[in-house]
Amino acid sequence: MGRYRELVRALVFYSNASNRGTHGRVQSGLPCNLNQNEYQVLEYICEFEDKNRILTAIARDTGILQSLVTKSTKRLVELGLAERYRLVGNKKSVILKPTPLGRATYLEYCQSVQEIFVPFFRSLDGFSDEELKRFEASVRILGGEWGDFSDKSIPGLEKIL
């Protein structure tokens, strides 16, 4: 890795610490807790609620396996945190939307996670906007071709009961 060895070590450590820190269940005010994938799906549908992304797009954009997105979707719907919709005339394209309880749960989670990111953000305060954009681009390159955050909206939704 040459001159990037310590950077790679730091990224690997972050990845491992992040997975270890959220291994099992993440705490919330719900009567039950959500796992990391369930929170990531909930976060995604809250952040991109206006984009009407189908489940396969959620899997692609988050890097979570399609089967785990499907499993997370089922649990979020069972808990009343999300509702499923489909395109009119297309039963295969399922779109997940947060409920008011889902949005409130996501906001509560954001407040608790924010504490983790404060020191990280402070360490970036000295970066110019251009340097920050380059850093973000580097992290996205590291993530590979897993994410497509384009503004693809899908009109004509119908709630699945």
Side-chain angles (χ1 to χ4, degrees):
M1 297 291 163
R3 73 182 257 209
Y4 302 109
R5 181 173 54 168
E6 291 305 313
L7 176 59
V8 170
R9 284 184 65 212
L11 290 167
V12 169
F13 181 82
Y14 165 76
S15 176
N16 292 335
S18 170
N19 287 329
R20 186 176 60 245
T22 56
H23 184 69
R25 300 286 174 184
V26 178
Q27 300 299 314
S28 75
L30 293 172
C32 59
N33 295 313
L34 303 177
N35 68 33
Q36 185 177 14
N37 290 331
E38 292 161 351
Y39 265 116
Q40 286 181 352
V41 171
L42 181 60
E43 174 186 27
Y44 187 92
I45 65 171
C46 287
E47 291 290 330
F48 294 101
E49 182 174 5
D50 60 329
K51 303 297 183 199
N52 293 333
R53 301 271 172 77
I54 60 176
L55 293 185
T56 54
I58 295 172
R60 182 188 63 236
D61 290 352
T62 60
I64 300 172
L65 291 173
Q66 175 70 45
S67 61
L68 294 177
V69 169
T70 301
K71 185 177 178 181
S72 297
T73 295
K74 181 179 178 191
R75 187 139 190 278
L76 292 172
V77 169
E78 287 171 356
L79 292 171
L81 301 175
E83 296 176 322
R84 294 181 311 153
Y85 293 83
R86 66 176 164 227
L87 297 172
V88 175
N90 182 344
K91 294 184 179 186
K92 289 186 176 184
S93 295
V94 175
I95 294 168
L96 199 60
K97 296 285 188 180
T99 63
L101 178 60
R103 280 186 219 91
T105 301
Y106 170 62
L107 291 175
E108 176 188 325
Y109 176 69
C110 284
Q111 289 174 347
S112 66
V113 170
Q114 179 96 15
E115 297 170 15
I116 294 169
F117 282 96
V118 168
F120 175 68
F121 292 151
R122 281 192 192 132
S123 75
L124 301 174
D125 281 347
F127 283 34
S128 69
D129 288 346
E130 182 59 35
E131 290 169 324
L132 197 55
K133 285 180 184 177
R134 282 198 319 250
F135 180 71
E136 175 190 346
S138 296
V139 172
R140 288 192 186 277
I141 289 169
L142 184 62
E145 298 296 322
W146 297 337
D148 176 9
F149 294 98
S150 57
D151 291 338
K152 295 177 185 171
S153 295
I154 302 171
L157 297 181
E158 151 182 79
K159 188 173 180 183
I160 300 172
L161 303 173

